[in-house]
């Protein structure tokens, strides 16, 4: 019997890329490939790249070069680039990085097995020519669903597949293979974006906004729960637009309670929300539905009106603070995170002061700060009044220091609160760690539990916050003795 072909997937970037990697893994496993964790143990190393900002692009190139270094020293015979950077640059990336044996775009995903086999056999698959993916679907959202079948949409793989084309866990199995045993998993709610923020290139290579069918989202969530997942995080470029191409902009409000009722699921989290599109009804559902956490990942980006208008965005400090007051009036313990760009072209000292005013009053749980840099193909790249690089760096350092202090203060405000912690790691040296409802994976800090007796990964435990370590919380489990007895009885 011939030795099975092996493949490793190395994923960089956001949670959306993680979903795409698991779809690629499902397709490859269905066609007989053996998935391995380490690139050095694989015949082919597939690097799912990020193409959002310069730092992410550098990380992607470094990962490709690191995988290429394995060739000739182990099993690895080929290195292939997929993902956003590969889609965005195509042939240009292939020419600049000959170490990559293949550069595959989204259109190659359905035939990923054949593509990798060709490359493994020493053949050449022509790198794709990048194109503006916004032009692949009709301008009118209402007309997009009919055209969706003819467009490659990573993470939108069918859920009810013919027998033999999906993992054998029942009729709801999606074309997806989990790459870790974590108790949390992301679910693609939609792809693409119709917004035209002047600093962002994502719509050009991810395409126009298109929603997944609610039935597909539900069925994939049920399948994940069957695999032991306790928390799902709904991801897309803009979750607040979900349903607009399906004839119901309020579709998320009706979908969330259905997801919360999935057997075995403990928590539903929604990420990537646009402040300008927040609706009273959506806030109500996010703050009052059992198992749907009151978590608001709001893309503010700035709060000075002139800067926001130059970004092709809406709002201002007072309106944003009013939105936060509305949220906390309904759910005082709600978690809120956001990202901000400093040093945007034309940003004045007064604009920066306005952003600092907002941050001082917003009480955000997590803050990401980025210094502006030109992104190829964006409107802002052509703007005048660019700030000197040293000025951008100084403002970035200043606001980053401020953000670090503010999120630590916000964590301290939570001392005395009772939180529900999803246990994610149990280690003799590092102790028991998990996340509370206001903390998303990898971005918002963790909770360190003072006792791990009777706890295991995937367990939801009630705990009282007794201290902080920066943005992280220290919490004492409640009713620890009954937890331990419950665990023992369940064995």
């Amino acid at each position: 019997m011939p030795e099975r072909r092996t493949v490793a997937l190395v994923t960089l970037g956001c949670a959306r890329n993680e979903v795409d990697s698991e779809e690629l893994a499902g397709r490859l496993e269905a066609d007989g490939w053996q998935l391995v964790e380490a690139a050095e143990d694989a015949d082919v190393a597939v690097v799912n790249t990020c193409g959002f900002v310069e730092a992410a692009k550098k990380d992607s190139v470094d990962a490709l070069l690191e995988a290429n270094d394995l060739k000739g020293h182990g099993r690895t015979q080929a290195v292939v680039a997929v993902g956003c950077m590969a889609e965005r640059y195509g042939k240009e990336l292939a020419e600049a990085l000959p170490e990559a044996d293949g550069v595959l775009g989204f259109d190659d995903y359905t035939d990923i097995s054949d593509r990798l086999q060709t490359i493994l056999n020493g053949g050449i698959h022509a790198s794709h020519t990048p194109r503006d993916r916004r032009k692949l679907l009709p301008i009118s959202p209402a007309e997009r669903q009919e055209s969706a079948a003819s467009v490659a949409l990573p993470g939108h793989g069918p859920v009810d597949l013919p027998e033999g084309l999906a993992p054998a866990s029942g009729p709801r199995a999606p074309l997806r293979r989990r790459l870790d045993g974590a108790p949390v998993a992301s679910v693609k709610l939609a792809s693409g974006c119709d917004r035209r923020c002047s600093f962002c290139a994502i719509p050009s290579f991810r395409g126009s906004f298109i929603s997944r069918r609610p039935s597909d989202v539900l069925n994939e969530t049920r399948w994940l729960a069957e695999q032991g997942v306790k928390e799902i995080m709904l991801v897309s470029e803009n979750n607040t637009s979900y349903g607009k191409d399906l004839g119901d902009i309020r579709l998320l409000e009706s979908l969330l309670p259905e997801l919360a009722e999935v057997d075995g699921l403990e928590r539903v989290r929604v990420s990537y929300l646009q402040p300008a599109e927040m609706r009273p009804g959506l806030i109500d559902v996010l703050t009052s539905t059992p198992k749907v956490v009151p978590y608001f990942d709001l893309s503010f980006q700035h709060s000075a009106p002139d800067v926001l208008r130059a970004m092709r965005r809406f709002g201002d400090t007072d309106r944003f603070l009013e939105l936060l007051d509305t949220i906390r009036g309904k759910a005082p313990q709600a978690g809120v995170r956001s990202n901000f760009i400093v040093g945007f072209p034309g940003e004045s000292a007064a604009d920066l002061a306005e952003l600092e005013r907002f941050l001082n009053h917003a009480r955000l749980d997590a803050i990401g700060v980025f210094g502006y840099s030109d992104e190829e193909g964006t409107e802002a790249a052509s703007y005048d009044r660019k700030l000197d690089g040293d000025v951008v760096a100084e403002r970035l350092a200043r606001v980053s220091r401020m953000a670090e202090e503010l999120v630590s203060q916000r964590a301290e405000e939570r001392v005395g609160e009772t939180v529900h912690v999803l246990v994610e790691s149990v280690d003799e040296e590092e102790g028991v760690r998990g996340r509370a409802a206001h903390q998303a994976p990898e971005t918002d800090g963790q909770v360190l539990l003072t006792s791990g007796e009777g706890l295991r990964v995937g367990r939801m435990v009630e705990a009282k916050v007794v201290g902080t370590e920066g943005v992280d919380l220290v919490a004492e489990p409640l009713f620890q003795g009954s937890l331990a007895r419950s665990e023992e009885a369940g064995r």
Side-chain angles (χ1 to χ4, degrees):
M1 183 175 179
E3 188 175 9
R4 292 187 70 184
R5 303 163 295 176
T6 56
V7 60
L9 287 122
V10 179
T11 306
L12 295 94
C14 64
R16 300 184 293 274
N17 258 15
E18 294 171 6
V19 175
D20 295 349
S21 284
E22 293 196 349
E23 181 186 300
L24 291 174
R27 292 183 181 279
L28 290 166
E29 188 172 66
D31 202 44
W33 289 78
Q34 179 182 351
L35 300 168
V36 296
E37 290 186 14
E40 58 263 29
D41 297 328
D43 296 317
V44 184
V46 177
V47 179
N48 192 348
T49 61
C50 179
F52 181 37
V53 293
E54 286 303 319
K57 296 175 197 174
K58 182 181 183 302
D59 289 343
S60 295
V61 170
D62 289 346
L64 288 163
L65 293 174
E66 182 178 340
N68 181 71
D69 288 342
L70 297 172
K71 291 191 291 189
H73 299 285
R75 179 163 183 155
T76 309
Q77 301 174 51
V79 176
V80 175
V82 299
C84 291
M85 190 174 181
E87 173 64 35
R88 184 176 180 183
Y89 295 105
K91 292 180 178 179
E92 182 182 342
L93 177 61
E95 292 170 359
L97 197 69
E99 291 86 352
D101 299 287
V103 176
L104 306 180
F106 297 151
D107 293 335
D108 293 306
Y109 281 22
T110 55
D111 299 311
I112 187 68
S113 178
D114 289 342
R115 300 287 187 265
L116 295 191
Q117 188 62 61
T118 296
I119 294 168
L120 187 59
N121 291 342
I124 297 175
H125 177 71
S127 301
H128 82 107
T129 300
R131 50 182 173 167
D132 189 339
R133 299 191 73 85
R134 290 171 293 192
K135 299 178 180 179
L136 301 183
L137 291 168
I139 294 176
S140 169
E143 299 175 2
R144 290 177 189 164
Q145 289 291 329
E146 293 182 5
S147 305
S150 62
V151 177
L153 297 168
H156 286 233
V159 176
D160 293 313
L161 295 173
E163 186 177 353
L165 290 182
S169 68
R172 288 192 299 268
L175 192 55
R176 178 173 180 172
R177 202 274 201 179
R178 299 225 57 212
L179 294 174
D180 60 40
V184 59
S186 297
V187 176
K188 241 343 153 55
L189 191 63
S191 286
C193 186
D194 288 342
R195 302 186 71 88
R196 293 296 179 262
C197 300
S198 63
F199 56 84
C200 184
I202 289 177
S204 66
F205 57 84
R206 276 291 185 178
S208 298
F209 184 90
I210 186 162
S211 305
R212 292 183 73 195
R213 295 281 179 179
S215 58
D216 282 348
V217 177
L218 270 167
N219 285 338
E220 185 165 333
T221 298
R222 293 183 182 118
W223 177 80
L224 287 167
E226 290 171 359
Q227 310 304 303
V229 169
K230 298 301 180 183
E231 174 182 332
I232 63 160
M233 184 167 72
L234 299 177
V235 299
S236 75
E237 279 71 24
N238 178 10
N239 282 332
T240 35
S241 282
Y242 180 70
K244 71 175 186 178
D245 53 321
L246 294 171
D248 185 1
I249 191 60
R250 296 177 177 81
L251 193 56
L252 184 56
E253 285 95 304
S254 58
L255 176 61
L256 284 171
E258 293 185 72
L259 291 170
E261 293 178 359
V262 171
D263 289 342
L265 207 60
E266 296 281 354
R267 205 148 71 184
V268 177
R269 183 182 306 276
V270 184
S271 61
Y272 305 113
L273 301 170
Q274 285 290 340
E277 297 181 29
M278 289 301 296
R279 307 175 291 276
L282 180 56
I283 295 173
D284 287 342
V285 170
L286 287 170
T287 55
S288 65
T289 307
K291 294 188 179 181
V292 175
V293 295
Y295 175 79
F296 293 81
D297 177 9
L298 294 163
S299 177
F300 289 123
Q301 302 299 344
H302 212 283
S303 72
D306 288 345
V307 176
L308 286 168
R309 301 307 172 268
M311 289 179 168
R312 304 293 184 201
R313 298 176 66 83
F314 306 94
D316 56 47
T317 295
D318 293 334
R319 274 189 276 186
F320 289 163
L321 291 176
E322 182 179 350
L323 172 61
L324 295 178
D325 285 344
T326 299
I327 290 168
R328 289 174 176 138
K330 296 176 180 294
Q333 294 186 354
V336 186
R337 82 164 326 275
S338 192
N339 293 326
F340 300 88
I341 298 173
V342 297
F344 195 79
E347 181 190 62
S348 66
D351 292 329
L352 186 65
E354 184 68 1
L355 173 59
E356 291 174 332
R357 180 172 82 89
F358 172 70
L359 292 173
N360 272 309
H361 288 85
R363 297 170 56 234
L364 302 178
D365 292 278
I367 301 171
V369 186
F370 301 88
Y372 173 81
S373 62
D374 285 340
E375 272 296 304
E376 180 184 350
T378 63
E379 181 183 353
S382 65
Y383 282 180
D384 297 326
R385 301 175 64 201
K386 299 278 178 63
L387 275 63
D388 185 82
D390 291 341
V391 175
V392 175
E394 187 277 329
R395 292 184 179 185
L396 173 61
R398 171 177 161 179
V399 177
S400 295
R401 286 193 300 270
M402 178 182 182
E404 186 175 352
E405 294 175 3
L406 289 171
V407 296
S408 295
Q409 291 173 16
R410 178 65 182 128
E412 290 171 1
E413 291 179 18
R414 292 191 179 274
V415 173
E417 287 185 3
T418 298
V419 294
H420 291 85
V421 180
L422 177 63
V423 177
E424 293 190 314
S425 66
V426 178
D427 184 271
E428 288 186 6
E429 295 184 1
E430 296 187 1
V432 179
R433 295 180 181 271
R435 289 178 297 101
H438 69 281
Q439 297 168 317
E442 300 182 7
T443 60
D444 301 344
Q446 295 179 308
V447 178
L448 171 62
L449 295 174
T450 58
S451 172
E453 181 187 358
L455 296 180
R456 55 178 171 76
V457 172
R459 185 68 187 255
M460 190 73 75
V461 57
E462 189 176 48
K464 182 178 180 179
V465 180
V466 296
T468 66
E469 294 181 359
V471 70
D472 296 333
L473 305 180
V474 179
E476 179 181 334
L478 302 176
F479 314 115
Q480 187 63 46
S482 61
L483 268 175
R485 288 192 294 273
S486 176
E487 284 287 312
E488 191 66 34
R491 291 192 181 100

